[in-house]
Amino acid sequence: AQGVLTPQRLAGRRILITAGPTREAVDPVRFISNRSSGRMGFAIAAAAQRMGAQVTLVHGPCGIPPPRGVLPVAVESAEQMLAAVQVAWPQSDAAIMSAAVSDYRPLQVAPQKLKKEAQGGQQIQWSLTENPDILAYAGANKQPGQWLVGFAAETEKLLQHGTEKRRRKGCDLLVVNDVSRQDIGFDATHNEVMVLGPGEDAVESWARCRKDEIAQQLMERLAACMETA
Ligand code: CTP
Ligand code: CA
């Protein structure tokens, strides 16, 4: 019935989505992560699927079931997420990278559980190393006709930071989240975003609404971009 009533604006399009947090192992039982719920990315995957797209959803540990009809690829670390994206991106018409990728990971992963006793009650220091930037990888390896959508989490100077981030990562559209607010964004049901691009000066401010409504609007926006090409 869906195909009869809903125009399948993304029919035949292959869309890659990243979602959720990553986990960076410290030792066999511990990890560094963040508060991302994966809800925004899962809602985007569901919207794209409803609009007829063939969706690959590369996601970190979220604890919510992937939407029906999408191909889920479960990963843990940023490096695993990059490896999955390296496979899927060349075969995709568009990608939306909403994952909250951990910026750093422990330089070394302890092969055995770290023991307090070995520290003798002293402070411990961990060395962290920067993770690969998955969105920037996709931007640097974008083929003509491919569309790339990034997200930005900012607490200040949203427009300035968003504009710089869009340029730096080579994405067509960038969705800017204000993560200084508790009522929206990270680990929340609602969001209020700014959408930059595809033109240099194109800026839209979207009213606060549920993440599934933002997801639907974003996929309509992307579909419109893809239709112009
Ligand atoms: N991103 C990514 N790989 C990373 C870090 C971020 O793919 N290692 C992606 C996110 O999925 C998001 C975008 O890059 O689409 C922006 O993430 P954000 O954390 O806002 O920006 P960073 O480039 O990490 O910069 P900073 O956290 O310092 O603001
Ligand atoms: Ca970051």
Side-chain angles (χ1 to χ4, degrees):
Q2 183 186 55
V4 178
L5 299 171
T6 320
Q8 299 270 286
R9 250 188 130 176
L10 290 174
R13 308 284 196 179
R14 294 160 302 176
I15 298 194
L16 167 65
I17 293 160
T18 70
T22 64
R23 281 182 184 176
E24 310 299 333
V26 172
D27 70 12
V29 295
R30 303 188 177 97
F31 56 83
I32 297 174
S33 192
N34 60 64
R35 291 183 192 282
S36 167
S37 65
R39 277 198 285 259
M40 191 68 241
F42 278 44
I44 290 168
Q49 193 278 334
R50 280 197 306 273
M51 290 166 70
Q54 202 178 303
V55 177
T56 301
L57 175 60
V58 176
H59 66 87
C62 298
I64 49 175
R68 288 171 62 113
V70 313
L71 176 69
V73 179
V75 299
E76 290 220 342
S77 66
E79 289 177 301
Q80 289 168 0
M81 187 172 277
L82 175 64
V85 166
Q86 283 173 327
V87 172
W89 178 227
Q91 312 167 37
S92 301
D93 301 304
I96 302 101
M97 305 244 162
S98 70
V101 181
S102 182
D103 289 334
Y104 296 93
R105 68 175 185 277
L107 186 58
Q108 286 161 344
V109 183
Q112 306 297 335
K113 187 185 168 201
L114 296 171
K115 301 302 282 179
K116 278 187 293 189
E117 206 173 48
Q119 294 302 323
Q122 299 297 300
Q123 293 182 350
I124 59 169
Q125 298 214 354
W126 281 344
S127 292
L128 304 178
T129 187
E130 201 174 326
N131 262 328
D133 191 312
I134 298 165
L135 177 60
Y137 160 82
N141 293 278
K142 190 153 72 84
Q143 298 300 316
Q146 283 185 311
W147 287 85
L148 184 59
V149 183
F151 275 71
E154 305 294 345
T155 57
E156 56 166 359
K157 301 180 196 158
L158 270 62
L159 182 58
Q160 185 196 323
H161 287 161
T163 302
E164 288 166 4
K165 212 168 258 186
R166 192 177 80 85
R167 199 170 301 141
R168 191 165 70 238
K169 304 214 182 201
C171 44
D172 300 294
L173 298 176
L174 187 86
V175 183
V176 187
N177 278 308
D178 183 349
V179 289
S180 68
R181 290 174 53 181
Q182 292 296 306
D183 57 324
I184 56 167
F186 249 58
D187 202 16
T189 54
H190 285 66
N191 212 348
E192 182 182 316
V193 300
M194 225 162 49
V195 178
L196 311 184
E200 275 298 304
D201 302 319
V203 180
E204 291 181 4
S205 290
W206 292 2
R208 179 183 190 276
C209 58
R210 289 201 320 271
K211 284 184 176 175
D212 58 314
E213 295 167 322
I214 301 253
Q216 180 69 33
Q217 280 186 57
L218 184 62
M219 288 306 91
E220 298 286 354
R221 185 82 178 75
L222 175 64
C225 289
M226 295 176 88
E227 283 157 11
T228 63

